Amino acid sequence: MTGISVDTLRAWERRHDAVSPARNERGRLYNDADVAKLKKLGELVKRGHAIGSIAGLGDRELARLLDAGDTHRSATPLAVAEVDVANLTSALERYDLDAVEGILNRHAAVLPPRDLVFAVILPLLEDVGRRWEAGRLRPAQEHLVSSTIRSVLGSLLRATVRPHALPKVIFATPAGERHELGLLSAALLAASAGYGVVYLGQDLPAADIAHAATAIGSRIVLLGLTTRGAATDAEIRRLADLLRGIELWIGGPAAAAGVSAAKGGARLVPGLSEVVPMLARHAH
């Protein structure tokens, strides 16, 4: 009914609380609302949205994304190169750092940044997440692949950034947030599209982010958020208050919660595929 495989559906339920079906002695029971939401989520994921960024959205927000996505897709197709990441996961299982790094660097050398992100980095991270959930990946392996991806994306970003490009966009994560691979990917996409990227990185207090934004004349601060809590919510509210005249955008798996914490002072970036289109609309 939804076109979503059983394995994918279970992962969306466990990791992202996409739906919460009732249960009886025969298994899960999905109502009409569950099915309708899953169809919307499936379509949006096909268009390039990250499930972690949209799973918690309500029916109205999902409908708006579908409407907006139709316009964007007709103007800018989301097709990317087909890349098999099996050799990466095989090297990861062997703890073969040289092979993982070599394969990623070869992809980075021949693929446009957008294809690298959507055809290599995201599928690899999703595979790592599935293996982690299934208990088939050890912490050392997860750290190995994360550090390698961070190194490859960081090097490519430094080579892509145009110091004098406008508008200036700051990329950072709030204090306590140490996950940055999605943010790095977003920064690379923005830089490769010609926007002025200032990458501050992870775990920064609100006051420092605001100071940097003011000092360089940034028009947008894009915050990456994968987890939430009372301390993070307070940091986001503080940052929204400090960014006078500067827009605060929030993306990542916990973005919807972050936007809510900002109490009207932030915009949602629903997925990596929306970063460049949102910047384009802002520039015009």
Side-chain angles (χ1 to χ4, degrees):
M1 292 176 70
T2 64
I4 301 168
S5 72
V6 173
D7 289 341
T8 298
L9 182 55
R10 297 292 178 265
W12 287 7
E13 291 170 9
R14 287 196 309 269
R15 297 177 62 192
H16 305 293
D17 294 321
V19 292
S20 300
R23 295 172 183 264
N24 65 11
E25 66 278 1
R26 298 181 61 186
R28 294 169 172 80
L29 298 174
Y30 297 88
N31 59 31
D32 290 343
D34 293 332
V35 174
K37 180 176 182 180
L38 288 168
K39 286 181 177 178
K40 291 185 178 74
L41 291 174
E43 178 60 25
L44 288 168
V45 167
K46 288 179 184 176
R47 298 182 188 185
H49 291 272
I51 183 62
S53 299
I54 59 175
L57 299 181
D59 187 68
R60 186 173 299 176
E61 289 85 357
L62 293 174
R64 278 202 295 266
L65 285 180
L66 284 168
D67 291 340
D70 283 339
T71 301
H72 171 54
R73 184 168 58 172
S74 64
T76 309
L78 287 173
V80 296
E82 293 288 337
V83 177
D84 185 1
V85 298
N87 54 355
L88 277 165
T89 54
S90 175
L92 179 61
E93 290 174 350
R94 303 191 306 271
Y95 289 89
D96 192 341
L97 174 60
D98 289 340
V100 173
E101 192 166 20
I103 294 167
L104 283 176
N105 278 323
R106 284 195 293 276
H107 285 314
V110 301
L111 292 175
R114 187 173 180 279
D115 283 354
L116 177 68
V117 168
F118 289 110
V120 179
I121 301 300
L122 291 187
L124 177 59
L125 290 175
E126 288 168 2
D127 185 68
V128 167
R130 286 192 294 269
R131 289 166 182 263
W132 181 269
E133 288 289 330
R136 294 188 286 116
L137 197 71
R138 301 186 66 86
Q141 292 169 307
E142 190 275 333
H143 285 201
L144 182 150
V145 72
S146 295
S147 64
T148 305
I149 292 173
R150 187 179 299 110
S151 174
V152 170
L153 289 179
S155 297
L156 194 55
L157 177 62
R158 287 189 292 273
T160 307
V161 165
R162 303 174 186 179
H164 304 296
L166 295 173
K168 295 289 186 184
V169 185
I170 281 185
F171 290 77
T173 75
E177 176 62 76
R178 297 186 177 275
H179 296 89
E180 63 171 331
L181 297 184
L183 185 76
L184 259 174
S185 297
L188 177 59
L189 292 172
S192 65
Y195 295 99
V197 169
V198 179
Y199 189 79
L200 299 183
Q202 60 183 354
D203 194 15
L204 280 175
D208 290 333
I209 297 173
H211 182 271
T214 302
I216 68 169
S218 174
R219 291 164 54 184
I220 301 166
V221 169
L222 201 161
L223 213 59
L225 197 63
T226 62
T227 58
R228 67 166 303 189
T232 304
D233 287 353
E235 278 291 292
I236 291 173
R237 284 193 293 272
R238 188 175 301 117
L239 180 58
D241 290 339
L242 291 170
L243 292 177
R244 303 180 186 279
I246 301 171
E247 291 193 18
L248 175 61
W249 297 5
I250 305 178
V259 170
S260 177
K263 298 186 180 302
R267 293 180 62 187
L268 175 69
V269 180
L272 278 173
S273 63
E274 292 300 310
V275 171
V276 172
M278 285 180 67
L279 287 172
R281 289 193 291 271
H282 182 276
H284 291 91

